[in-house]
Every structure is written in C-alpha cells, then in structure tokens.
Amino acid sequence: MAKVESFTLDHTKVKAPYVRLITEEHGEKGDIISNYDLRLVQPNTNAIPTAGLHTIEHLLAGLLRDRLDGVIDCSPFGCRTGFHLITWGQHSTTEVAKALKSSLEEIADKIEWKDVQGTDKYSCGNYRDHSLFSAKQWSCDIVDAGISDDPFERHTI
Ligand SMILES: [Zn+2]
C-alpha cells in the first residue's frame, strides 16, 4: 500500500495547536498544490466533539477563503484533532497560522447562528449534528493556547 506522509509523523512529538506543511505537489504544467496540517488540539490527549468540529468545518470553509488565496478544501481529520487545508500555490505556515487564528477569533467572538452556512437538510449531510456553542468554546480555547507556525517548537504567532 502507498506510504502516506501523515502516518509517518510522530504524533507524540508535536505540540498543538500548530500549522504544518505536509506536502507540496508539483503538477506537470507547473501548478503547485500545498497540503497543510491545521492541528487544533493535542493528539491522543484531546479531540473536538463531532458537532463542534462540524460547525467549525462549515465556518472555516468561508472564513479561510476570505483570508487566504487559493483555498481548495479544508476538511476535518477522522481523529477530530484538526483539519487538512489544501491550497493552490505556496503559503508560509506563518501566513496560514495567521489566517486560522483570525478565523477562530471570528468564530469565538462574532459569528452567530445565522452566519453558519449549510445548516439544513438541503445543504448538509448531517444537519442535525451542529453546535455553534461547542465551536465557539473550542475556538476560544485554541486561540488562548496560541497557534504555532512550527509543529515541534512552540512559536506562536
Ligand atoms: Zn455538514
């Protein structure tokens, strides 16, 4: 089976919250796609409950696109400790960490239920499983912990 970079990361050595560049893929025509690890909570110590994670997912889909060029997708890890962010082009982890921090601050401080996109049976695959309360509290805790632009050394932005 193909070796996957994410599974070679020693999850006991990282210090969340952080942003990490996983890979840069270079296309035949010179296009570059970057894949980032947005680790919001410490692996095997914490995990964001699905309802809060689901609402954070719906919000980051819009908030990160407002802050960062070339966003293709931002999807949660199955372990519920963070998200993959896929973008066109290259961004420094500092730039991504700043966009993530600003997005989580907006969730914690400003977002109301009416601002959450995709919360009905037409626009979401499990619309009953959302919690803005949880999304706000976890976002607040992550911002308070500080987001590092390095996965192994705490270098908060
Ligand atoms: Zn959904």
Side-chain angles (χ1 to χ4, degrees), residues 54 57-58 118 123-127 130:
H54 190 190
E57 177 205 356
H58 280 227
S123 54
C124 177
N126 190 2
Y127 78 98
H130 276 283

Side-chain angles (χ1 to χ4, degrees), residues 21-113:
L21 176 66
I22 300 172
T23 53
E24 271 177 18
E25 306 286 342
H26 294 252
E28 284 176 13
K29 295 182 178 173
D31 290 321
I32 298 174
I33 289 177
S34 301
N35 181 11
Y36 301 90
D37 166 359
L38 310 185
R39 191 72 58 162
L40 302 186
V41 298
Q42 189 63 27
N44 300 304
T45 301
N46 225 335
I48 302 173
T50 55
L53 190 75
H54 190 190
T55 303
I56 292 173
E57 177 205 356
H58 280 227
L59 288 166
L60 286 182
L63 294 170
L64 283 176
R65 281 180 172 82
D66 289 345
R67 288 163 172 77
L68 214 53
D69 288 336
V71 171
I72 296 171
D73 186 47
C74 186
S75 298
F77 298 144
C79 60
R80 295 185 280 113
T81 61
F83 290 81
H84 275 294
L85 171 67
I86 315 280
T87 72
W88 289 109
Q90 296 165 298
H91 306 273
S92 69
T93 55
T94 308
E95 188 184 353
V96 175
K98 284 180 178 171
L100 175 63
K101 182 184 178 189
S102 162
S103 299
L104 294 174
E105 283 172 344
E106 184 154 342
I107 295 171
D109 300 336
K110 295 191 187 125
I111 292 289
E112 298 175 24
W113 181 244

